[in-house]
Amino acid sequence: MVWDSGTMTLIVLTKADLCENLTEKLIELDEVAIGVEVVVTSTYDPQSLDYLESQLLAGTTAAFIGSSGVGKPTIINYFLGKTILETDELINDGKGLHTR
C-alpha cells in the first residue's frame, strides 16, 4: 500500500534500548524491506530522534502506524514538545496498554 501511494517511506524501530539483538533484527528487516530506509530510535536517546524529526517537514503529512505499545504517541509528543496524546507504561508482557 505504501509503495503504491508514492510516498516517502521510513521504517522506524522504536525502543532500541529494549532490543537485545538489534543487529540481528536489522539484518532480518533488510531482507524483507528492500530499499526502505530504517531509522533506529529510543526516547531515552533524543539524538536518535533528530534525523526522524528532520524528515517531518512543515506542510506535509506523516502517518505513524504500528502495533500497540511501540511508542507512537511518545514520539509524537516528543516532537510537539508537550503531551497531546496520553501514554501508559508497558504491562508485564512487554506489550503496550491502550490508554483509557
Side-chain angles (χ1 to χ4, degrees):
M1 181 173 73
V2 173
W3 285 114
D4 291 341
S5 73
T7 62
M8 181 188 79
T9 304
L10 294 173
I11 294 176
V12 181
L13 296 180
T14 59
K15 302 184 181 185
D17 52 291
L18 299 178
C19 186
E20 296 176 9
N21 53 353
L22 182 59
T23 302
E24 199 174 293
K25 296 294 183 191
L26 289 170
I27 291 169
E28 290 176 17
L29 185 57
D30 191 47
E31 292 173 359
V32 296
I34 299 165
V36 178
E37 186 173 1
V38 176
V39 179
V40 178
T41 67
S42 168
T43 54
Y44 292 107
D45 177 13
Q47 286 185 328
S48 71
L49 296 166
D50 289 349
Y51 177 74
L52 179 59
E53 186 173 23
S54 75
Q55 299 304 298
L56 301 173
L57 305 174
T60 63
T61 300
F64 288 74
I65 58 173
S67 301
S68 176
V70 297
K72 299 175 302 289
T74 301
I75 290 175
I76 292 167
N77 287 338
Y78 175 82
F79 291 145
L80 293 174
K82 57 185 172 181
T83 300
I84 298 294
L85 302 170
E86 291 185 41
T87 62
D88 269 326
E89 297 295 318
L90 291 177
I91 52 179
N92 60 5
D93 65 0
K95 295 182 179 177
L97 180 67
H98 286 285
T99 305
R100 294 170 209 55

